Amino acid sequence: MTTLTRRGWRGDKKTESEDASADRELPDEDSDNSKAPRLTLMEEVLLLGLQDKEGYPSFWNDCLSPGLRGGILIELALRGRIQLEPLTARKKRLLDRKVLLKSGAPTGDVLLDETLRHIKASESMETVQTWIELLTGGCREKERKGLGWKLQYQLRNVRERVAKSLVEKGILTTGKQSFLLFDVTTHPVCDAAEKQRLLRKLQDGVLERWPGDVRRMERRLLALLVLAHASDVLEKALGGLEDARYEAAMSRARDVLEADPELEAAQGRGTELIWAVLAAFSRS
């Protein structure tokens, strides 16, 4: 799991009409969306993690792939497709509660719809942490839970598929980079304005539009902050700030990311699955 550091340190069924309106029930859209294409959380996280000219993320980042899977689950929750099972006396903790399918209506996004099919086809309900592991290609709790690897649930080439979606939206382009004996497909940023818009959204969210209370944060901003941290791209996203603003932004990010997920999820507002993803990565 990634850690926050200071600069310089290392260390029930619905009707079809209800389903069709699910994607519109997102009151937390940022206001700066005049002509920019709407990006999924997965696209935003990958864009934050890419080196603009090189077109690939840091070779040392091994958190991005599971982070993108966490983003898929949160995006499905925000679109009204999945939710956590209700709180019970036996299942109080976020990581003990299973993911339930609310609606199997297609979203129009290939990765989201593939994940929906996996959840619907699963023989047993699983937790957020287990789904992240299964979608990534394994399950470290296989001995205890008897799940095996369940490779049929693995989402393959997620990073490349998200990148291709950004290419189709005109934000990235496609190239090749030679590394000794092999070539690697790269995706440099070709729409710098869109990348800057995304950076401003995150930076302004924790500086200029900071509500002073995590429970008043916009859901998609909260989700982006959690996923940027889980994917180890948060410090890179805030790194362009001058020192004083960087320290203020990181301090406020810590206030959010070090909050008690169980306590915050209990407040409702449709954020339970966001906090469950944070809890899953904090535990790993």
Side-chain angles (χ1 to χ4, degrees):
M1 179 58 197
T2 61
T3 56
L4 292 173
T5 62
R6 291 185 180 273
R7 179 170 286 183
W9 294 9
R10 295 300 300 169
D12 307 340
K13 268 191 178 182
K14 293 188 174 185
T15 64
E16 284 187 6
S17 60
E18 286 174 319
D19 288 335
S21 65
D23 290 340
R24 297 194 294 271
E25 295 175 359
L26 298 174
D28 300 324
E29 291 297 315
D30 55 291
S31 57
D32 184 19
N33 61 0
S34 53
K35 292 185 179 180
R38 177 165 175 246
L39 304 184
T40 65
L41 288 168
M42 306 86 75
E43 291 166 343
E44 290 182 331
V45 170
L46 181 62
L47 188 54
L48 288 176
L50 284 178
Q51 302 176 77
D52 293 7
K53 294 182 179 179
E54 292 84 354
Y56 50 81
S58 168
F59 288 124
W60 312 113
N61 187 341
D62 58 358
C63 300
L64 187 54
S65 288
L68 291 174
R69 272 73 172 184
I72 290 172
L73 295 178
I74 294 178
E75 187 74 51
L76 286 172
L78 293 180
R79 295 188 184 212
R81 298 317 198 268
I82 62 173
Q83 66 181 24
L84 287 185
E85 65 181 337
L87 186 70
T88 67
R90 288 192 307 110
K91 293 185 177 180
K92 294 182 178 180
R93 297 174 63 254
L94 290 169
L95 296 184
D96 292 335
R97 294 159 63 188
K98 311 294 187 179
V99 174
L100 302 181
L101 184 69
K102 287 180 65 178
S103 169
T107 66
D109 180 275
V110 176
L111 280 172
L112 296 180
D113 292 343
E114 184 176 339
T115 304
L116 274 178
R117 289 194 296 272
H118 285 327
I119 294 174
K120 186 175 182 178
S122 178
E123 296 177 359
S124 60
M125 295 186 298
E126 308 297 349
T127 65
V128 164
Q129 184 167 27
T130 298
W131 270 119
I132 291 173
E133 293 171 356
L134 291 174
L135 295 173
T136 305
C139 181
R140 287 171 295 177
E141 296 183 357
K142 61 177 187 241
E143 294 85 6
R144 180 173 69 84
K145 301 185 71 174
L147 291 172
W149 283 98
K150 287 194 174 180
L151 288 177
Q152 67 267 33
Y153 296 128
Q154 181 181 6
L155 294 179
R156 301 181 183 277
N157 304 316
V158 168
R159 191 183 303 181
E160 180 66 18
R161 292 160 73 182
V162 173
K164 286 183 177 179
S165 179
L166 288 168
V167 171
E168 291 172 359
K169 292 181 178 180
I171 298 169
L172 303 182
T173 187
T174 302
K176 284 194 179 296
Q177 175 74 45
S178 295
F179 291 96
L180 296 176
L181 301 177
F182 59 93
D183 292 336
V184 173
T185 299
T186 61
H187 297 286
V189 175
C190 62
D191 187 346
E194 177 64 18
K195 176 71 174 281
Q196 288 303 310
R197 186 200 69 83
L198 176 58
L199 289 170
R200 285 197 307 273
K201 181 175 85 167
L202 181 58
Q203 294 168 1
D204 290 353
V206 293
L207 289 172
E208 313 302 335
R209 304 201 311 272
W210 180 245
D213 182 351
V214 63
R215 296 170 189 175
R216 294 167 53 201
M217 288 186 70
E218 297 174 351
R219 290 185 302 163
R220 294 189 74 86
L221 176 60
L222 173 62
L224 181 58
L225 185 60
V226 165
L227 292 169
H229 173 53
S231 304
D232 200 16
V233 300
L234 180 58
E235 292 186 58
K236 179 178 183 295
L238 300 179
L241 295 168
E242 53 131 16
D243 286 351
R245 286 169 61 80
Y246 174 85
E247 292 296 338
M250 291 302 294
S251 176
R252 291 172 177 177
R254 280 191 289 271
D255 288 343
V256 175
L257 299 167
E258 293 176 1
D260 184 343
E262 306 288 345
L263 181 60
E264 299 304 329
Q267 303 304 313
R269 284 187 60 253
T271 61
E272 279 190 319
L273 207 134
I274 299 174
W275 291 110
V277 167
L278 178 59
F281 281 98
S282 297
R283 178 179 174 180
S284 59

Short mmCIF file of all heavy atoms in Angstrom, two decimals, residues 114-155:
data_model
loop_
_atom_site.label_atom_id
_atom_site.label_comp_id
_atom_site.label_asym_id
_atom_site.label_seq_id
_atom_site.Cartn_x
_atom_site.Cartn_y
_atom_site.Cartn_z
N GLU A 114 -17.97 -5.62 -18.49
CA GLU A 114 -17.33 -6.92 -18.29
C GLU A 114 -17.31 -7.28 -16.81
O GLU A 114 -17.57 -8.42 -16.42
CB GLU A 114 -15.91 -6.90 -18.85
CG GLU A 114 -15.21 -8.24 -18.77
CD GLU A 114 -13.83 -8.22 -19.42
OE1 GLU A 114 -13.58 -7.33 -20.26
OE2 GLU A 114 -13.01 -9.10 -19.08
N THR A 115 -17.01 -6.30 -15.97
CA THR A 115 -17.01 -6.53 -14.53
C THR A 115 -18.41 -6.86 -14.02
O THR A 115 -18.58 -7.74 -13.17
CB THR A 115 -16.46 -5.30 -13.79
OG1 THR A 115 -15.14 -4.99 -14.30
CG2 THR A 115 -16.37 -5.55 -12.29
N LEU A 116 -19.42 -6.16 -14.54
CA LEU A 116 -20.80 -6.46 -14.17
C LEU A 116 -21.16 -7.91 -14.48
O LEU A 116 -21.81 -8.60 -13.68
CB LEU A 116 -21.77 -5.53 -14.92
CG LEU A 116 -22.07 -4.16 -14.31
CD1 LEU A 116 -23.00 -3.37 -15.22
CD2 LEU A 116 -22.69 -4.31 -12.93
N ARG A 117 -20.72 -8.40 -15.64
CA ARG A 117 -21.00 -9.79 -16.02
C ARG A 117 -20.31 -10.76 -15.06
O ARG A 117 -20.88 -11.79 -14.69
CB ARG A 117 -20.56 -10.04 -17.47
CG ARG A 117 -21.44 -9.34 -18.50
CD ARG A 117 -21.18 -9.88 -19.89
NE ARG A 117 -19.83 -9.61 -20.36
CZ ARG A 117 -19.46 -8.51 -21.00
NH1 ARG A 117 -20.35 -7.55 -21.24
NH2 ARG A 117 -18.22 -8.34 -21.41
N HIS A 118 -19.09 -10.43 -14.66
CA HIS A 118 -18.38 -11.28 -13.71
C HIS A 118 -19.12 -11.35 -12.38
O HIS A 118 -19.28 -12.43 -11.79
CB HIS A 118 -16.97 -10.76 -13.48
CG HIS A 118 -16.03 -11.04 -14.61
ND1 HIS A 118 -16.11 -12.17 -15.40
CD2 HIS A 118 -14.97 -10.32 -15.09
CE1 HIS A 118 -15.15 -12.15 -16.31
NE2 HIS A 118 -14.45 -11.04 -16.14
N ILE A 119 -19.55 -10.20 -11.88
CA ILE A 119 -20.24 -10.15 -10.59
C ILE A 119 -21.56 -10.92 -10.66
O ILE A 119 -21.92 -11.67 -9.74
CB ILE A 119 -20.47 -8.70 -10.17
CG1 ILE A 119 -19.12 -8.00 -9.90
CG2 ILE A 119 -21.37 -8.61 -8.93
CD1 ILE A 119 -19.23 -6.52 -9.61
N LYS A 120 -22.26 -10.76 -11.78
CA LYS A 120 -23.54 -11.46 -11.96
C LYS A 120 -23.34 -12.96 -12.08
O LYS A 120 -24.15 -13.77 -11.59
CB LYS A 120 -24.24 -10.91 -13.21
CG LYS A 120 -25.65 -11.46 -13.42
CD LYS A 120 -26.32 -10.78 -14.61
CE LYS A 120 -27.74 -11.29 -14.80
NZ LYS A 120 -28.43 -10.61 -15.93
N ALA A 121 -22.25 -13.38 -12.72
CA ALA A 121 -22.01 -14.80 -12.97
C ALA A 121 -21.34 -15.51 -11.80
O ALA A 121 -21.28 -16.75 -11.77
CB ALA A 121 -21.15 -14.97 -14.22
N SER A 122 -20.83 -14.76 -10.83
CA SER A 122 -20.11 -15.37 -9.71
C SER A 122 -21.00 -16.31 -8.92
O SER A 122 -22.16 -16.01 -8.62
CB SER A 122 -19.58 -14.27 -8.78
OG SER A 122 -18.93 -14.83 -7.67
N GLU A 123 -20.46 -17.48 -8.56
CA GLU A 123 -21.22 -18.48 -7.81
C GLU A 123 -21.48 -18.04 -6.37
O GLU A 123 -22.41 -18.50 -5.73
CB GLU A 123 -20.47 -19.81 -7.83
CG GLU A 123 -20.33 -20.42 -9.22
CD GLU A 123 -19.54 -21.70 -9.21
OE1 GLU A 123 -19.09 -22.09 -8.10
OE2 GLU A 123 -19.36 -22.30 -10.28
N SER A 124 -20.65 -17.16 -5.87
CA SER A 124 -20.82 -16.69 -4.49
C SER A 124 -20.54 -15.19 -4.44
O SER A 124 -19.77 -14.67 -5.25
CB SER A 124 -19.88 -17.42 -3.54
OG SER A 124 -18.53 -17.20 -3.92
N MET A 125 -21.16 -14.51 -3.52
CA MET A 125 -20.89 -13.08 -3.34
C MET A 125 -19.54 -12.91 -2.66
O MET A 125 -19.15 -13.72 -1.81
CB MET A 125 -21.99 -12.43 -2.50
CG MET A 125 -23.36 -12.43 -3.16
SD MET A 125 -24.57 -11.50 -2.19
CE MET A 125 -24.58 -12.45 -0.66
N GLU A 126 -18.82 -11.88 -3.06
CA GLU A 126 -17.49 -11.65 -2.50
C GLU A 126 -17.37 -10.23 -1.97
O GLU A 126 -18.17 -9.35 -2.29
CB GLU A 126 -16.41 -11.90 -3.57
CG GLU A 126 -16.49 -13.24 -4.28
CD GLU A 126 -16.30 -14.43 -3.36
OE1 GLU A 126 -15.90 -14.23 -2.19
OE2 GLU A 126 -16.57 -15.57 -3.80
N THR A 127 -16.36 -9.98 -1.18
CA THR A 127 -16.12 -8.67 -0.61
C THR A 127 -15.40 -7.77 -1.61
O THR A 127 -14.90 -8.23 -2.65
CB THR A 127 -15.24 -8.77 0.65
OG1 THR A 127 -13.95 -9.27 0.27
CG2 THR A 127 -15.87 -9.71 1.67
N VAL A 128 -15.32 -6.50 -1.28
CA VAL A 128 -14.59 -5.55 -2.13
C VAL A 128 -13.14 -5.96 -2.29
O VAL A 128 -12.59 -5.97 -3.40
CB VAL A 128 -14.68 -4.12 -1.53
CG1 VAL A 128 -13.63 -3.20 -2.16
CG2 VAL A 128 -16.07 -3.54 -1.74
N GLN A 129 -12.49 -6.31 -1.19
CA GLN A 129 -11.08 -6.68 -1.27
C GLN A 129 -10.88 -7.91 -2.16
O GLN A 129 -9.96 -7.95 -2.98
CB GLN A 129 -10.52 -6.96 0.11
CG GLN A 129 -9.01 -7.27 0.08
CD GLN A 129 -8.40 -7.24 1.45
OE1 GLN A 129 -9.07 -7.48 2.45
NE2 GLN A 129 -7.11 -6.94 1.51
N THR A 130 -11.76 -8.92 -2.00
CA THR A 130 -11.63 -10.12 -2.83
C THR A 130 -11.87 -9.81 -4.29
O THR A 130 -11.15 -10.33 -5.17
CB THR A 130 -12.61 -11.21 -2.35
OG1 THR A 130 -12.29 -11.58 -1.00
CG2 THR A 130 -12.53 -12.44 -3.24
N TRP A 131 -12.86 -8.95 -4.62
CA TRP A 131 -13.11 -8.61 -6.01
C TRP A 131 -11.92 -7.88 -6.62
O TRP A 131 -11.56 -8.11 -7.78
CB TRP A 131 -14.38 -7.78 -6.17
CG TRP A 131 -15.60 -8.62 -6.38
CD1 TRP A 131 -16.70 -8.70 -5.59
CD2 TRP A 131 -15.82 -9.54 -7.47
NE1 TRP A 131 -17.61 -9.61 -6.10
CE2 TRP A 131 -17.08 -10.14 -7.25
CE3 TRP A 131 -15.08 -9.90 -8.58
CZ2 TRP A 131 -17.62 -11.08 -8.13
CZ3 TRP A 131 -15.60 -10.86 -9.45
CH2 TRP A 131 -16.85 -11.43 -9.22
N ILE A 132 -11.27 -7.00 -5.87
CA ILE A 132 -10.08 -6.33 -6.40
C ILE A 132 -9.01 -7.35 -6.74
O ILE A 132 -8.38 -7.31 -7.80
CB ILE A 132 -9.55 -5.29 -5.40
CG1 ILE A 132 -10.53 -4.12 -5.28
CG2 ILE A 132 -8.17 -4.77 -5.84
CD1 ILE A 132 -10.17 -3.12 -4.20
N GLU A 133 -8.82 -8.31 -5.84
CA GLU A 133 -7.81 -9.34 -6.07
C GLU A 133 -8.17 -10.24 -7.24
O GLU A 133 -7.31 -10.58 -8.06
CB GLU A 133 -7.62 -10.16 -4.79
CG GLU A 133 -7.01 -9.34 -3.65
CD GLU A 133 -7.02 -10.07 -2.33
OE1 GLU A 133 -7.58 -11.19 -2.26
OE2 GLU A 133 -6.48 -9.53 -1.35
N LEU A 134 -9.45 -10.65 -7.32
CA LEU A 134 -9.87 -11.52 -8.42
C LEU A 134 -9.76 -10.83 -9.76
O LEU A 134 -9.29 -11.40 -10.75
CB LEU A 134 -11.32 -11.99 -8.20
CG LEU A 134 -11.55 -12.96 -7.03
CD1 LEU A 134 -13.04 -13.20 -6.84
CD2 LEU A 134 -10.82 -14.27 -7.26
N LEU A 135 -10.17 -9.57 -9.83
CA LEU A 135 -10.10 -8.82 -11.09
C LEU A 135 -8.66 -8.58 -11.50
O LEU A 135 -8.35 -8.46 -12.68
CB LEU A 135 -10.84 -7.48 -10.95
CG LEU A 135 -12.36 -7.57 -10.73
CD1 LEU A 135 -12.91 -6.17 -10.43
CD2 LEU A 135 -13.06 -8.18 -11.94
N THR A 136 -7.76 -8.54 -10.51
CA THR A 136 -6.35 -8.34 -10.81
C THR A 136 -5.68 -9.64 -11.23
O THR A 136 -4.65 -9.62 -11.91
CB THR A 136 -5.63 -7.75 -9.58
OG1 THR A 136 -6.31 -6.55 -9.19
CG2 THR A 136 -4.18 -7.38 -9.90
N GLY A 137 -6.25 -10.79 -10.81
CA GLY A 137 -5.70 -12.06 -11.28
C GLY A 137 -5.35 -13.06 -10.20
O GLY A 137 -4.67 -14.04 -10.46
N GLY A 138 -5.76 -12.82 -8.97
CA GLY A 138 -5.45 -13.77 -7.91
C GLY A 138 -6.21 -13.43 -6.65
O GLY A 138 -6.95 -12.46 -6.58
N CYS A 139 -6.04 -14.25 -5.65
CA CYS A 139 -6.67 -14.01 -4.35
C CYS A 139 -5.74 -14.54 -3.27
O CYS A 139 -5.51 -15.74 -3.17
CB CYS A 139 -8.03 -14.67 -4.26
SG CYS A 139 -8.85 -14.36 -2.69
N ARG A 140 -5.22 -13.64 -2.48
CA ARG A 140 -4.29 -14.06 -1.44
C ARG A 140 -4.97 -14.80 -0.29
O ARG A 140 -4.32 -15.40 0.54
CB ARG A 140 -3.56 -12.83 -0.88
CG ARG A 140 -2.52 -12.28 -1.84
CD ARG A 140 -1.99 -10.96 -1.38
NE ARG A 140 -3.06 -9.97 -1.40
CZ ARG A 140 -2.89 -8.72 -0.98
NH1 ARG A 140 -1.74 -8.34 -0.50
NH2 ARG A 140 -3.90 -7.87 -1.04
N GLU A 141 -6.33 -14.74 -0.24
CA GLU A 141 -7.04 -15.44 0.82
C GLU A 141 -7.55 -16.80 0.34
O GLU A 141 -8.44 -17.38 0.93
CB GLU A 141 -8.21 -14.58 1.31
CG GLU A 141 -7.75 -13.28 1.93
CD GLU A 141 -8.93 -12.48 2.47
OE1 GLU A 141 -10.08 -12.94 2.30
OE2 GLU A 141 -8.70 -11.42 3.06
N LYS A 142 -6.97 -17.33 -0.72
CA LYS A 142 -7.51 -18.55 -1.32
C LYS A 142 -7.47 -19.74 -0.37
O LYS A 142 -8.38 -20.55 -0.37
CB LYS A 142 -6.77 -18.87 -2.61
CG LYS A 142 -5.28 -19.13 -2.45
CD LYS A 142 -4.69 -19.51 -3.79
CE LYS A 142 -3.25 -19.94 -3.60
NZ LYS A 142 -2.27 -19.25 -4.20
N GLU A 143 -6.41 -19.85 0.47
CA GLU A 143 -6.36 -20.99 1.37
C GLU A 143 -7.47 -20.92 2.42
O GLU A 143 -8.12 -21.91 2.72
CB GLU A 143 -5.00 -21.04 2.08
CG GLU A 143 -3.83 -21.31 1.15
CD GLU A 143 -3.30 -20.05 0.48
OE1 GLU A 143 -3.77 -18.96 0.83
OE2 GLU A 143 -2.42 -20.18 -0.39
N ARG A 144 -7.71 -19.72 2.97
CA ARG A 144 -8.72 -19.57 4.01
C ARG A 144 -10.13 -19.69 3.46
O ARG A 144 -11.00 -20.28 4.06
CB ARG A 144 -8.55 -18.22 4.70
CG ARG A 144 -9.56 -17.98 5.80
CD ARG A 144 -9.25 -16.71 6.56
NE ARG A 144 -9.47 -15.54 5.74
CZ ARG A 144 -10.64 -14.95 5.58
NH1 ARG A 144 -11.72 -15.47 6.14
NH2 ARG A 144 -10.76 -13.87 4.85
N LYS A 145 -10.36 -19.12 2.28
CA LYS A 145 -11.72 -19.05 1.74
C LYS A 145 -12.00 -20.13 0.69
O LYS A 145 -13.13 -20.28 0.25
CB LYS A 145 -11.97 -17.67 1.12
CG LYS A 145 -11.80 -16.54 2.13
CD LYS A 145 -12.16 -15.21 1.54
CE LYS A 145 -13.63 -15.12 1.34
NZ LYS A 145 -14.06 -13.79 0.89
N GLY A 146 -10.97 -20.85 0.30
CA GLY A 146 -11.17 -21.92 -0.67
C GLY A 146 -11.61 -21.42 -2.03
O GLY A 146 -12.36 -22.07 -2.74
N LEU A 147 -11.11 -20.23 -2.44
CA LEU A 147 -11.56 -19.64 -3.70
C LEU A 147 -10.75 -20.09 -4.90
O LEU A 147 -11.18 -19.98 -6.03
CB LEU A 147 -11.47 -18.10 -3.60
CG LEU A 147 -12.46 -17.43 -2.65
CD1 LEU A 147 -12.13 -15.95 -2.53
CD2 LEU A 147 -13.87 -17.61 -3.16
N GLY A 148 -9.55 -20.59 -4.66
CA GLY A 148 -8.67 -20.85 -5.78
C GLY A 148 -8.31 -19.55 -6.46
O GLY A 148 -8.59 -18.47 -5.98
N TRP A 149 -7.70 -19.65 -7.64
CA TRP A 149 -7.29 -18.42 -8.34
C TRP A 149 -8.45 -17.76 -9.09
O TRP A 149 -8.46 -16.57 -9.28
CB TRP A 149 -6.15 -18.74 -9.32
CG TRP A 149 -4.87 -18.91 -8.60
CD1 TRP A 149 -4.29 -20.07 -8.22
CD2 TRP A 149 -4.00 -17.87 -8.15
NE1 TRP A 149 -3.12 -19.83 -7.56
CE2 TRP A 149 -2.90 -18.49 -7.51
CE3 TRP A 149 -4.04 -16.48 -8.23
CZ2 TRP A 149 -1.86 -17.77 -6.95
CZ3 TRP A 149 -2.99 -15.76 -7.67
CH2 TRP A 149 -1.92 -16.40 -7.04
N LYS A 150 -9.45 -18.56 -9.51
CA LYS A 150 -10.59 -18.00 -10.24
C LYS A 150 -10.14 -17.05 -11.35
O LYS A 150 -10.56 -15.90 -11.43
CB LYS A 150 -11.53 -17.26 -9.28
CG LYS A 150 -12.34 -18.21 -8.39
CD LYS A 150 -13.49 -17.46 -7.73
CE LYS A 150 -14.37 -18.43 -6.96
NZ LYS A 150 -15.49 -17.75 -6.29
N LEU A 151 -9.25 -17.53 -12.18
CA LEU A 151 -8.70 -16.67 -13.23
C LEU A 151 -9.74 -16.23 -14.25
O LEU A 151 -9.50 -15.29 -15.01
CB LEU A 151 -7.56 -17.41 -13.94
CG LEU A 151 -6.28 -17.55 -13.13
CD1 LEU A 151 -5.25 -18.37 -13.90
CD2 LEU A 151 -5.71 -16.19 -12.79
N GLN A 152 -10.91 -16.91 -14.26
CA GLN A 152 -11.96 -16.50 -15.21
C GLN A 152 -12.49 -15.11 -14.88
O GLN A 152 -13.15 -14.48 -15.70
CB GLN A 152 -13.12 -17.50 -15.23
CG GLN A 152 -13.94 -17.59 -13.95
CD GLN A 152 -13.44 -18.68 -13.01
OE1 GLN A 152 -12.24 -18.95 -12.97
NE2 GLN A 152 -14.35 -19.30 -12.30
N TYR A 153 -12.21 -14.62 -13.69
CA TYR A 153 -12.68 -13.29 -13.31
C TYR A 153 -11.63 -12.20 -13.56
O TYR A 153 -11.89 -11.03 -13.33
CB TYR A 153 -13.08 -13.27 -11.83
CG TYR A 153 -14.24 -14.17 -11.52
CD1 TYR A 153 -14.17 -15.11 -10.50
CD2 TYR A 153 -15.43 -14.10 -12.26
CE1 TYR A 153 -15.26 -15.94 -10.21
CE2 TYR A 153 -16.50 -14.92 -11.99
CZ TYR A 153 -16.40 -15.84 -10.96
OH TYR A 153 -17.46 -16.66 -10.69
N GLN A 154 -10.45 -12.59 -14.00
CA GLN A 154 -9.41 -11.61 -14.21
C GLN A 154 -9.73 -10.69 -15.38
O GLN A 154 -10.10 -11.16 -16.46
CB GLN A 154 -8.07 -12.31 -14.47
CG GLN A 154 -6.91 -11.33 -14.67
CD GLN A 154 -5.61 -12.04 -14.96
OE1 GLN A 154 -5.59 -13.26 -15.13
NE2 GLN A 154 -4.53 -11.29 -15.03
N LEU A 155 -9.58 -9.41 -15.17
CA LEU A 155 -9.70 -8.43 -16.26
C LEU A 155 -8.31 -8.25 -16.86
O LEU A 155 -7.38 -7.81 -16.17
CB LEU A 155 -10.21 -7.09 -15.73
CG LEU A 155 -11.64 -7.05 -15.18
CD1 LEU A 155 -11.95 -5.65 -14.68
CD2 LEU A 155 -12.65 -7.47 -16.25
#
